[in-house]
Every structure is written in C-alpha cells, then in structure tokens.
Amino acid sequence: MRPAPFTISDVADLLRIQRLEGGNDNAFNVECPFCGDRRGKCNFCVVKDGEIKNVYHCFACGASGNMLTLYADIMGLRGKERYKDAYWEIRDNMPQDPKETRRHQRKIEVQAQKQKETSAEPVDYQKRNEVYGALIKMLHLSETHRNDLRRRGQTEDEIRRMEQRGYVSTDSSNSVAIARRLIKQGYDLEGIPGFYVNRNGDWEIAFYKKSNGYLCPVWSEDRLLVAFQIRLDQPYKKRKYIWLTSAGLEKGCSSGSPVGVSGSSYAKRVYVTEGISKAEITYQRTGRTHLGNPGVSNHKELRQVLIHLKERGLEEVIEEADMDKLMVLHCQEDYDEACRMCECKGAEECPKKRIKRDNIRKGCLKLYQICEELGIPCKRRIWDFDENGMWLGNYKGIDDWELREEKPETMAA
C-alpha cells in the first residue's frame, strides 16, 4: 500500500502550526495547537523505526492522533465521513501535478527506508543489562550531583545505594572512549539504546554537553537494567529529564518508555508514581516497592508490569500521582512566566491549570481501569491537603513529601 501523497509535516504547514527549534524531517516538536504548550511537549512524528507513522502526541494536554484526526479536529469537520473529507481537503491543497505527487510519495518512502537501513533493532533486556551493567562501572556520581541529591534531603547511605544502582554522572568528554572500552571488553553495542556509529565511523554513546547530568536507571521486574533517563543539569525547555536514546542515528535505536521497578518484585502492595527517579528516591526512604511510570499516559508498559507482578503475588496498588491531581484551579498568576501576560488574571479558573489537572486525572483513571480489569484493588494516596482535600501547594511529588522533615499522616481514599 502506497503512502498518502502528504505527511503530518505537510498538514502542520497547511494549518500553520508553529514548529519549535530542533527536530528533523522524521520528527519535530511544535506549539501544541490544542493547549498552546511551547515547552516541546507536543511531538509530530513522520517516520519512526523505518515505518511511516504520521502521528502526534502532546504530553502536556494529552491530545493525540494522526494527520487526518489533527486536520479534522482543528478545522471542525464532523460526521461519519470527516476523515475522508479531511483527506481530500488536504489533498486539494497539495501539488496536483501527477509527477510532483509521485515524487513526494517516493520521498516519503525513501525517508522511511533510509531510517530502517541505518537504524538497529533494539536487543532484548538481558543483553541491555549486560552492557549497561558494564557501563555504570565506568562512571561515578560527581560531587556536584551528589550535592544535588543531598539538597533534596537524601542521606549519605541513600545516595550510596543509588549510585550502586546506576545513579552516576554522564561524561560527554569520553563518549567515544567509553564505547571503545566496552567493545574491547567484548560487548556488541548494536541494538543497545544510547549507542550509535558517529560520522567518523566510530561507536559512541549519546552523552552530549547540552545533555550533561546524571543517569537515572530503569530496572525491570526481573532486576534487569534496561534503560536510562538523564536528569539534566540545565533543563531543556523546562524538561528536567530526557531518555538516553540514539533513535534516528546510524545503528542507533530508541529505549522505549519502560516502567521502572524500585524494590521487591514480589511485594503484595506496590505504589505507582510518575517518574523513574521519584520512585527510586521514595523507595530508598520508605522501603516500599514503587513503580516509576515515565508518564501518566504510558499505559501499555504499565499494564504489562502489573500483570507480571500479579503473577508474583501482587494484591494491592496505591496510586501516588503528583498532587497536581487535586490542584486548586483559581488563577493566582503562579502557573508559569506567561501568567504575567495572560488574560485570565484573577479568574475563578486558570485554563492551563485545568488542562494540567485533567491530564493527570486521566492518567490516574487509566491506572484504576487497568487494576479493575486485572482484579487488583487500587487506592489513592494524597498528602499536603487542606480541610477540603485540595492540594496546599507545598509538596507536589511523593518524593518531596517523604523527604521533608516533619511527616503528618497522609490519607488514602
């Protein structure tokens, strides 16, 4: 089946959706046409892993779909034929010359084929674990990053244990040397997320100066080290964490979005929160098994982990999503720097807070739905709340709450 004579990139241009810096012909970030987010949370993907996708997803408001749903939603098309109508409206605005159309189709096919030829197929978790295990032995946690964890309230013993589990600093000055050492030790780097062949033909790990920080390891329920996030020293467009990935690079591949397991895989009760490091920090402080879900919309991977844990005796799940889920919506000009120019100053409801709260609640509801389908009781845990059960605004994440000095009781609902 031949691809459509246009891509989601063409649709974005047609709709005058503003692209953000960075990205390439295969994938790029935009100003979200639905919630207006400009932090790079809204991604448009043309080609991924050698396959034509033409999809989008906003991690700020949860909007997602393909190029036809995008056009139909923005242009207000309705009815059973709305996607067909969208196709022909887009087509009518594309070049009509048959030669130009065939040339455009061929460009899309070549783009996908080129990525497929240069990309590597990700290896299984066991092989990742072997390479990543050797990798973390080559690195250490710098004093700067150690101080960052101390600042957050962690003890020396907790930091030491986390370093042993792979919380170590990146080293952009030795990105090629690290790969060479691993190869010399007998490891095959092809298919290991984060490794790729650079323009000089040498294997390299994707440690860059602009992404300096420390690694946050993702451990599976089988105690295998399967991926890393990087806690950035300098947030990029307000993003504090990025994946260690080499997707789109020669012989590179994506890490995916695996769920991290901190603690025993045989615990009868597990706690689910958003964030790999957040789960680990809370586990180190409380000893309770935590699942670190990379994002509230990361449902497929979370479901699989819960299925495996149920087979090992899991009896109860506690939801510990950030307290934004109970955020007061009244405008207090405190959402971000754009509040100074916002027209809703002093209003009863801030639209950005509404989108944020609704998005987190959708993720929570999906967790409850998964647990119900699997026959696992699921309860909510809240903290830092007022007499009405709404968030006071002091401690957002469960890690912040557990690391504070005084600890009043939390409440489960």
Side-chain angles (χ1 to χ4, degrees):
M1 181 177 179
R2 296 188 67 83
F6 51 83
T7 69
I8 196 168
S9 178
D10 298 315
V11 177
D13 292 340
L14 183 62
L15 296 171
R16 298 183 179 180
I17 295 172
Q18 185 175 350
R19 299 193 188 198
L20 303 178
E21 294 181 3
N24 51 44
D25 291 339
N26 295 326
F28 52 91
N29 294 326
V30 304
E31 177 180 342
C32 180
F34 299 97
C35 71
D37 185 273
R38 291 181 54 82
R39 298 171 294 173
K41 296 281 189 176
C42 188
N43 177 260
F44 279 34
C45 177
V46 180
V47 175
K48 183 178 181 181
D49 298 331
E51 295 184 7
I52 298 172
K53 298 293 186 180
N54 285 319
V55 295
Y56 72 95
H57 183 88
C58 179
F59 291 91
C61 67
S64 63
N66 58 44
M67 58 184 176
L68 298 183
T69 64
L70 173 70
Y71 185 91
D73 288 342
I74 290 180
M75 298 303 292
L77 302 182
R78 297 289 182 267
K80 295 181 180 179
E81 302 295 316
R82 74 191 201 108
Y83 299 134
K84 184 180 292 186
D85 293 340
Y87 176 90
W88 286 110
E89 284 192 21
I90 298 168
R91 176 69 182 269
D92 288 344
N93 285 282
M94 293 294 110
Q96 293 302 298
D97 179 8
K99 290 184 178 180
E100 183 65 27
T101 298
R102 286 195 295 272
R103 190 179 297 116
H104 198 69
Q105 288 177 321
R106 181 56 184 162
K107 180 181 178 181
I108 300 169
E109 292 173 333
V110 169
Q111 189 175 329
Q113 184 61 31
K114 183 178 180 181
Q115 190 181 84
K116 180 176 288 187
E117 291 173 353
T118 59
S119 298
E121 188 71 23
V123 299
D124 60 38
Y125 280 3
Q126 184 62 53
K127 291 180 179 178
R128 293 194 203 186
N129 179 69
E130 293 171 1
V131 174
Y132 287 154
L135 169 65
I136 61 176
K137 291 179 181 178
M138 298 179 180
L139 303 171
H140 69 281
L141 188 66
S142 72
E143 193 62 23
T144 297
H145 295 144
R146 198 177 297 275
N147 285 332
D148 181 65
L149 295 173
R150 289 175 181 138
R151 177 188 56 78
R152 297 181 67 175
Q154 293 191 263
T155 67
E156 294 301 318
D157 283 343
E158 290 168 351
I159 295 172
R160 177 181 51 79
R161 291 196 297 267
M162 289 178 65
E163 184 175 11
Q164 291 174 346
R165 282 176 61 80
Y167 280 79
V168 290
S169 302
T170 61
D171 185 358
S172 58
S173 63
N174 287 303
S175 57
V176 174
I178 289 171
R180 286 176 177 170
R181 287 179 62 188
L182 289 168
I183 293 172
K184 190 174 182 180
Q185 291 178 19
Y187 295 106
D188 183 358
L189 302 183
E190 184 167 340
I192 304 295
F195 290 91
Y196 66 99
V197 175
N198 63 24
R199 65 182 64 184
N200 297 320
D202 295 321
W203 279 98
E204 186 171 355
I205 189 170
F207 287 167
Y208 311 116
K209 288 183 178 179
K210 65 181 180 181
S211 59
N212 279 339
Y214 59 85
L215 297 177
C216 302
V218 182
W219 291 86
S220 74
E221 63 272 24
D222 294 318
R223 296 186 178 181
L224 298 176
L225 181 49
V226 300
F228 292 100
Q229 286 189 334
I230 301 176
R231 175 60 155 82
L232 299 174
D233 291 341
Q234 299 294 329
Y236 177 70
K237 295 180 180 178
K238 295 187 177 181
R239 294 176 62 188
K240 296 180 180 179
Y241 296 88
I242 61 172
W243 287 101
L244 174 62
T245 178
S246 49
L249 300 172
E250 186 174 352
K251 296 299 181 181
C253 59
S254 170
S255 63
S257 300
V259 173
V261 180
S262 296
S264 173
S265 297
Y266 294 89
K268 296 186 180 300
R269 175 187 294 151
V270 300
Y271 297 75
V272 179
T273 190
E274 183 185 355
I276 301 301
S277 66
K278 187 177 298 183
E280 181 66 27
I281 288 171
T282 310
Y283 161 66
Q284 291 294 341
R285 177 54 54 95
T286 67
R288 297 191 291 260
T289 296
H290 275 72
L291 303 187
N293 194 18
V296 292
S297 59
N298 192 49
H299 305 138
K300 182 178 178 181
E301 292 79 3
L302 181 59
R303 173 190 287 272
Q304 291 303 310
V305 171
L306 289 174
I307 289 174
H308 294 155
L309 295 185
K310 183 181 180 183
E311 294 171 351
R312 302 180 184 194
L314 176 62
E315 296 179 355
E316 184 181 38
V317 170
I318 307 296
E319 173 259 297
E320 287 185 337
D322 287 355
M323 283 297 290
D324 300 57
K325 63 194 175 191
L326 295 175
M327 176 169 46
V328 177
L329 299 181
H330 180 69
C331 176
Q332 297 175 312
E333 300 180 34
D334 59 351
Y335 188 81
D336 58 26
E337 63 273 10
C339 289
R340 292 172 298 183
M341 304 176 62
C342 183
E343 296 180 356
C344 76
K345 289 184 178 181
E348 286 299 316
E349 183 174 305
C350 169
K352 292 184 177 180
K353 287 183 177 180
R354 164 65 70 180
I355 291 172
K356 176 70 172 178
R357 194 175 79 175
D358 287 353
N359 193 35
I360 293 179
R361 288 186 175 186
K362 287 178 183 177
C364 293
L365 289 173
K366 188 62 179 181
L367 171 61
Y368 305 148
Q369 179 184 338
I370 292 172
C371 288
E372 183 177 0
E373 292 171 355
L374 298 180
I376 307 172
C378 183
K379 296 180 180 179
R380 162 171 286 182
R381 187 178 179 212
I382 63 175
W383 53 93
D384 188 33
F385 53 89
D386 61 20
E387 63 274 11
N388 297 315
M390 301 302 290
W391 181 36
L392 288 171
N394 301 311
Y395 304 96
K396 184 172 74 170
I398 187 60
D399 55 336
D400 299 325
W401 177 254
E402 293 295 349
L403 292 179
R404 77 198 187 290
E405 293 183 3
E406 297 182 5
K407 301 179 180 179
E409 290 297 317
T410 58
M411 180 173 71

